[in-house]
Amino acid sequence: EMQLVESGGGLVQAGGSLRLSCAASGLNLEDYAIGWFRQAPGKEREGVSCISHDGDPMYAEFVKGRFTISRDDAKNTAYLQMNGLKPEDTAIYYCAGLRGEIVPTGPLPYLYEYDIWGQGIQVTVSS
């Protein structure tokens, strides 16, 4: 069974850091671009970041300079390092895999472009 499993979420104070992991099983992560999304209560799911097969990162404007996406295909795992967290970053965070090609200089890929999703993990930032 192909799966993506997120870990590393939790409760942190404003200004703090968390590192989310997205571990793949039943698939080769190197075959996928990996994206991170988030969904806050009452809001739509929004793209946060994406990393291409070649390791080119893409970020939403609201996380640029604070979040860093990376991947380690040897470990079949992708990461999202989140620094300078704000209360408005509170959400459920999802990782997702996209088998097709992406354009690292273009907009973040849309939700419907992704082929596989993790179950999500809660990130809560207290003020």
Side-chain angles (χ1 to χ4, degrees), residues 50 57-60 64 102-110:
C50 181
M58 305 164 69
Y59 300 99
K64 277 185 179 177
I102 65 169
V103 180
T105 55
L108 286 171
Y110 296 104

Side-chain angles (χ1 to χ4, degrees), residues 17-40:
S17 298
L18 285 174
R19 188 176 82 154
L20 302 183
S21 297
C22 173
S25 60
L27 58 92
N28 292 321
L29 200 72
E30 63 185 1
D31 294 334
Y32 294 79
I34 298 298
W36 286 94
F37 289 78
R38 70 186 187 186
Q39 188 166 17

Side-chain angles (χ1 to χ4, degrees), residues 5-72:
V5 179
E6 301 93 340
S7 62
L11 174 64
V12 65
Q13 288 188 329
S17 298
L18 285 174
R19 188 176 82 154
L20 302 183
S21 297
C22 173
S25 60
L27 58 92
N28 292 321
L29 200 72
E30 63 185 1
D31 294 334
Y32 294 79
I34 298 298
W36 286 94
F37 289 78
R38 70 186 187 186
Q39 188 166 17
K43 295 189 176 181
E44 293 186 351
R45 194 170 299 188
E46 62 181 356
V48 173
S49 183
C50 181
I51 187 165
S52 72
H53 301 73
D54 296 328
D56 297 312
M58 305 164 69
Y59 300 99
E61 284 296 325
F62 53 81
V63 301
K64 277 185 179 177
R66 299 191 297 126
F67 290 11
T68 303
I69 192 171
S70 61
R71 62 189 300 154
D72 186 341

